[in-house]
Amino acid sequence: RVQCGCGERSKMASAEATGKLKGLCAECGVPATKRCGNCRKYGVCVFYCSAEHQKRHWKEHKKSCGARAVAVEQGQDPTATCSRCLQLVGEGGGVCRVEHPVRLREDGHMCFSQEEDRRSYSCSACNGSFMVVTYRTDGRVEYVGDRWCYEGAHTTKVLPEHDERRVRPHCVTLDQWKTGAELQRQIEEVDENVYSITIMGDDYIEDPEGVFDRKFPKLESLKIQVAPLRRIHLTAATCPRLKTLFLDNLLDECELTMAVPTLQNVSLYFWRAEDRPEAVVDMLAAASNLRSFESYKLWSNRHLRFVGPKLEYIRLHRAESLEHLELWAPNLQKLNLQACYDLRRVHFLPTHPLAKKLPANYRCPHRLHINVENANLSPQARHALQHPPGREVIMQGLASDDEQDMGFGMGFGG
């Protein structure tokens, strides 16, 4: 075998074209001019005198064919598994490529025309952004921007736990379904020991037959976006390890339960079930380890109560029904009440039984960032937000007294 450098490839191509590139047959040792085609793609020369001898030698040669030869040259075991892409180090030309994890992908703007569909995304694993262009005429797909979450050398080293630029085993994505019944079948087929489940759709479907109430004892991350589920039942019994929950555009009639004590990060977008406020209330009561709560157009609750020693971030953007907010969150650093149009009462609770979970001599963060841009605040809510006990407030978007007095109760906003 001859490993050829980049500077030698033009000479090789010229010699091969003229029939002057020769070597010894890897099977019998006689002079030969025929080469292994797969090895040739990677600049590796392995010769054979005939197709018969190439077939005879394959059992031995396949251990170091093509890309595997490159791995050997780089000092790696070609039969080892890359800890990032989970492929053999000797596969793929020595290049490790990882797709953007769907569970960590955030939707951006969309643009549709007669010729093509354009969808933009950002990836929290690599902090990259990209656009997927689908052509309607032939179904061709093109990527613009950061095509891969990771592209580089294979590695067999143990990756840091926080590095999500990898293919994680036991992560399931359900996005190839056309009906609610088909989605339900796929949910039932998922292995109960999965770590992450992502369910995604493009638009509402008329038959909301799906139910998500199975027991997943090892599930830590669940993302459901535009899915025809009429019932989602998440409890300590069904998902005892669930930490991250992302729900977007659920059906208005969906029966939602998410009372899971282990929840740490919750995102809830476009939840309009005004007749069922208990779904959010029960979740907040159960999730004593909650670190962040993020919502957009949460219309189900007039009263919300956040209590937790670990809570750092609350976003209630356009919680248009919210009238009363109670808070005991000594570690809270950011509170976003943008476009809350009818916020009448805000109370910072002086203490709570969960205070016993705080370390001895604990001191809360000094500064609290609050965004009230386009919010409609009563005088009491305004004063409470400006003067939380023991905190210095960095306020954003606070209207003047005259503007606030004119606006309160009129439901203006933007």
Side-chain angles (χ1 to χ4, degrees):
R1 183 188 300 114
V2 180
Q3 174 69 44
C4 299
C6 295
E8 299 296 322
R9 293 192 179 183
S10 59
K11 296 180 182 179
M12 287 174 51
S14 177
E16 187 172 17
T18 59
K20 295 181 179 180
L21 189 62
K22 296 180 180 180
L24 299 179
C25 177
E27 174 64 16
C28 65
V30 303
T33 58
K34 295 180 174 62
R35 295 172 57 195
C36 169
N38 190 40
C39 287
R40 178 164 48 190
K41 292 189 296 184
Y42 302 107
V44 179
C45 296
V46 178
F47 292 93
Y48 293 100
C49 64
S50 65
E52 180 183 352
H53 277 202
Q54 183 178 12
K55 292 179 181 179
R56 189 185 302 174
H57 187 249
W58 173 242
K59 184 176 181 180
E60 177 65 26
H61 177 58
K62 68 179 180 180
K63 301 176 184 178
S64 59
C65 182
R68 297 188 176 193
V70 177
V72 172
E73 292 294 327
Q74 294 175 348
Q76 296 178 322
D77 179 4
T79 63
T81 299
C82 174
S83 53
R84 193 176 293 278
C85 68
L86 304 186
Q87 302 297 316
L88 292 178
V89 169
E91 300 290 343
V95 178
C96 172
R97 292 186 177 93
V98 177
E99 295 273 2
H100 298 282
V102 177
R103 60 191 175 85
L104 300 176
R105 193 180 71 186
E106 298 180 9
D107 294 351
H109 66 272
M110 296 178 288
C111 182
F112 305 104
S113 68
Q114 293 182 344
E115 294 80 21
E116 62 190 29
D117 296 347
R118 292 176 173 263
R119 299 172 182 263
S120 297
Y121 303 94
S122 60
C123 175
S124 60
C126 65
N127 295 321
S129 59
F130 61 101
M131 178 184 293
V132 180
V133 183
T134 304
Y135 295 93
R136 294 178 179 270
T137 53
D138 55 7
R140 184 164 44 92
V141 176
E142 289 184 357
Y143 284 79
V144 180
D146 300 312
R147 172 63 182 89
W148 302 101
C149 186
Y150 178 87
E151 184 176 24
H154 289 292
T155 181
T156 55
K157 296 180 180 179
V158 177
L159 298 176
E161 184 61 28
H162 63 80
D163 190 348
E164 294 288 353
R165 300 171 302 162
R166 66 171 90 183
V167 176
R168 283 195 179 273
H170 310 299
C171 291
V172 174
T173 298
L174 306 180
D175 59 356
Q176 302 296 321
W177 45 267
K178 300 298 182 183
T179 67
E182 185 176 351
L183 172 59
Q184 184 62 46
R185 286 195 298 271
Q186 294 185 16
I187 292 174
E188 295 300 327
E189 292 171 358
V190 174
D191 187 286
E192 68 171 8
N193 293 315
V194 294
Y195 161 86
S196 169
I197 298 176
T198 300
I199 302 174
M200 300 188 69
D202 289 329
D203 205 349
Y204 291 112
I205 291 178
E206 296 299 328
D207 59 336
E209 299 183 19
V211 173
F212 192 99
D213 60 0
R214 280 188 55 197
K215 185 174 182 178
F216 292 100
K218 298 183 180 180
L219 186 67
E220 295 190 10
S221 174
L222 175 62
K223 180 176 182 178
I224 301 177
Q225 185 171 9
V226 195
L229 297 172
R230 58 179 173 81
R231 184 167 182 258
I232 300 174
H233 189 68
L234 310 172
T235 66
T238 60
C239 302
R241 295 188 183 181
L242 188 62
K243 296 179 181 179
T244 300
L245 178 63
F246 181 100
L247 302 175
D248 181 11
N249 266 300
L250 301 182
L251 296 172
D252 291 346
E253 61 268 30
C254 178
E255 298 177 17
L256 176 61
T257 303
M258 46 183 176
V260 183
T262 54
L263 278 174
Q264 296 181 7
N265 306 289
V266 175
S267 299
L268 187 58
Y269 292 176
F270 299 99
W271 178 239
R272 308 176 181 88
E274 298 181 28
D275 60 332
R276 296 189 300 281
E278 66 278 1
V280 179
V281 171
D282 293 347
M283 182 277 294
L284 292 177
S288 59
N289 292 309
L290 197 65
R291 295 181 180 274
S292 70
F293 179 88
E294 183 173 9
S295 69
Y296 180 72
K297 291 193 175 183
L298 176 63
W299 296 346
S300 60
N301 295 76
R302 296 184 179 277
H303 176 205
L304 288 175
R305 193 170 194 257
F306 290 88
V307 295
K310 299 180 180 180
L311 195 56
E312 298 177 353
Y313 175 62
I314 300 174
R315 178 176 181 250
L316 298 167
H317 190 180
R318 291 196 67 175
E320 299 174 18
S321 301
L322 184 62
E323 296 180 0
H324 185 192
L325 178 63
E326 290 185 276
L327 297 157
W328 182 81
N331 206 35
L332 187 64
Q333 299 175 38
K334 292 184 178 181
L335 174 62
N336 189 326
L337 301 173
Q338 188 175 353
C340 290
Y341 295 153
D342 198 20
L343 189 54
R344 300 172 181 271
R345 290 178 291 168
V346 175
H347 290 117
F348 287 89
L349 304 176
T351 188
H352 189 272
L354 287 175
K356 62 185 180 182
K357 290 190 174 183
L358 294 172
N361 301 320
Y362 173 80
R363 297 183 64 181
C364 66
H366 182 57
R367 291 184 176 180
L368 173 59
H369 295 259
I370 301 178
N371 184 350
V372 292
E373 184 177 356
N374 291 329
N376 209 359
L377 307 174
S378 73
Q380 187 280 331
R382 180 186 179 93
H383 182 270
L385 292 170
Q386 288 179 301
H387 305 285
R391 307 293 290 274
E392 176 189 348
V393 173
I394 308 298
M395 189 73 74
Q396 177 182 345
L398 186 65
S400 67
D401 290 339
D402 291 340
E403 290 173 327
Q404 190 66 45
D405 291 342
M406 290 176 61
F408 182 73
M410 296 175 60
F412 73 89

